Amino acid sequence: MRKTLLITTLLTITLLAGCQAKKPVSSTTSRAQPTTTTYANRTTTKKALAADSQTWLFNKQLLSKQTKNGLSDDITVSNIAQMTTPKSWLTSKGTFTSQPINYQQISFKKWQQDSRSHLMKSYQKTLHLMTVAQVNAALHKLGADFKIKHLSDLVFLETKTGKNTIDQGLVAKGNHLYAITAHYRDLQEPTNFDRGQLFVSQKATAKTTASPVALDQLNGTWIAAATTTSANDTGKLMVKDGFMYQKCYDSIERSAIQDLAKYTLVTLNQNTIYAAQKRDAAQAGYQLTLSRLLVVIVSVISTSS
């Protein structure tokens, strides 16, 4: 009799355990929800900009209509840089240069203050910050796989020589740099409005790294493969013993070839000629770095008729 009772008790416990295991999960039970959205912050950007030297080339621009009632939510994509959009950015360990201006990073609060400081008080109320939703819409249109949570997640810039800010906040991830317009002013007349741009790291598309060439190996006559000749550009030049000679109108220009290894990268990035050559090389698919770029034409020494 006691044996039968013991078996019955064990069976009852087993059945109860089975029912508990099959009990449906309450709708209020906490569980991790999968998500495909990541959020960027200033650390994400800092990591992407950590390289000693990086060239970011313009890829696409966003435009929308602006009326006296505000900005349109209809955003179009353009592959041609319009208005005053930079065609490239040079970065070096977090510093930004858009030839020939050097910028420094500032806080979101300081950017707000300095952006308004050059406006008369009567006009300051016409300046409006973009909403986080508007910034995320622009990021999505540019193909970003992330969002921001706060405007302070963006990096803001102003010139090192003064309080001249740019209208955009920047965020980078991997090989992409996003420059998103962060504020706008009221306008009475409808116009196209620049919502932001995408820049792609030249390192992601470079075919090869340019190698240094000894001066004596440059001697000779060089002819451009495809040049529309004109009075000021024949498409030909001669290099001899560290100088370059080129006919321009009725004169022969002589330019010195200078070793750049003794200059700092910051100094070079601020040089308009260097920055332009670096950008052109990047667009042609070649990566120029300070350790590789040893010679460049820097100035006109003399002319003769």
Side-chain angles (χ1 to χ4, degrees):
M1 182 69 181
R2 293 178 60 186
K3 184 176 182 181
T4 303
L5 179 61
L6 178 61
I7 294 175
T8 302
T9 303
L10 289 174
L11 286 175
T12 302
I13 295 173
T14 302
L15 288 175
L16 287 175
C19 290
Q20 182 68 25
K22 294 180 181 180
K23 182 179 180 181
V25 178
S26 171
S27 59
T28 59
T29 301
S30 175
R31 61 169 59 179
Q33 296 295 331
T35 177
T36 58
T37 301
T38 58
Y39 289 92
N41 53 37
R42 295 175 73 94
T43 302
T44 306
T45 302
K46 183 178 180 180
K47 181 179 179 180
L49 302 177
D52 288 342
S53 179
Q54 203 157 344
T55 303
W56 304 84
L57 299 177
F58 171 84
N59 182 269
K60 63 183 68 173
Q61 181 181 13
L62 300 181
L63 297 171
S64 64
K65 294 293 184 181
Q66 181 182 3
T67 69
K68 61 182 179 180
N69 296 321
L71 296 176
S72 169
D73 292 330
D74 185 16
I75 303 176
T76 59
V77 180
S78 172
N79 293 321
I80 301 175
Q82 301 183 37
M83 302 176 349
T84 58
T85 301
K87 293 185 178 180
S88 66
W89 280 101
L90 301 180
T91 59
S92 176
K93 294 183 177 180
T95 64
F96 287 79
T97 302
S98 181
Q99 59 171 331
I101 304 173
N102 203 16
Y103 294 88
Q104 62 185 358
Q105 296 186 28
I106 57 176
S107 67
F108 174 54
K109 182 178 180 180
K110 180 171 173 54
W111 174 81
Q112 283 184 283
Q113 293 173 343
D114 293 352
S115 296
R116 295 177 178 272
S117 63
H118 67 282
L119 295 175
M120 294 187 299
K121 288 187 177 181
S122 58
Y123 285 100
Q124 289 183 7
K125 63 182 180 181
T126 67
L127 193 65
H128 306 286
L129 287 175
M130 291 287 191
T131 66
V132 171
Q134 286 175 317
V135 171
N136 284 332
L139 287 170
H140 177 73
K141 200 72 174 182
L142 289 172
D145 62 353
F146 61 88
K147 296 180 178 181
I148 65 166
K149 289 184 177 180
H150 311 283
L151 290 182
S152 57
D153 292 336
L154 302 173
V155 168
F156 294 93
L157 305 176
E158 71 177 9
T159 57
K160 281 193 171 182
T161 56
K163 295 182 179 180
N164 296 319
T165 60
I166 65 171
D167 294 340
Q168 298 167 320
L170 297 97
V171 59
K173 183 180 180 183
N175 295 317
H176 294 88
L177 174 66
Y178 305 86
I180 308 299
T181 302
H183 64 195
Y184 66 95
R185 287 184 59 189
D186 293 333
L187 293 176
Q188 294 300 317
E189 298 296 330
T191 185
N192 282 332
F193 184 81
D194 180 3
R195 296 291 290 266
Q197 300 87 39
L198 168 65
F199 297 85
V200 178
S201 170
Q202 179 267 340
K203 289 184 179 180
T205 57
K207 300 173 185 176
T208 185
T209 300
S211 299
V213 179
L215 282 176
D216 58 356
Q217 294 181 5
L218 290 174
N219 287 342
T221 301
W222 300 82
I223 302 174
T227 300
T228 302
T229 59
S230 61
N232 66 332
D233 185 5
T234 62
K236 301 178 182 179
L237 57 86
M238 183 180 73
V239 178
K240 184 178 180 180
D241 301 331
F243 290 92
M244 185 192 80
Y245 302 85
Q246 186 174 28
K247 183 178 180 180
C248 182
Y249 295 100
D250 296 328
S251 299
I252 301 296
E253 293 184 351
R254 186 180 72 166
S255 303
I257 299 176
Q258 184 176 359
D259 188 345
L260 297 183
K262 61 183 180 181
Y263 293 98
T264 66
L265 186 59
V266 173
T267 300
L268 289 175
N269 282 342
Q270 289 179 301
N271 184 277
T272 304
I273 297 176
Y274 172 81
Q277 294 294 331
K278 191 172 184 179
R279 184 188 66 241
D280 292 344
Q283 290 173 338
Y286 293 91
Q287 178 182 343
L288 297 182
T289 64
L290 184 58
S291 60
R292 295 293 185 177
L293 185 60
L294 295 183
V295 292
V296 68
I297 303 340
V298 295
S299 62
V300 174
I301 302 302
S302 63
T303 61
S304 59
S305 57

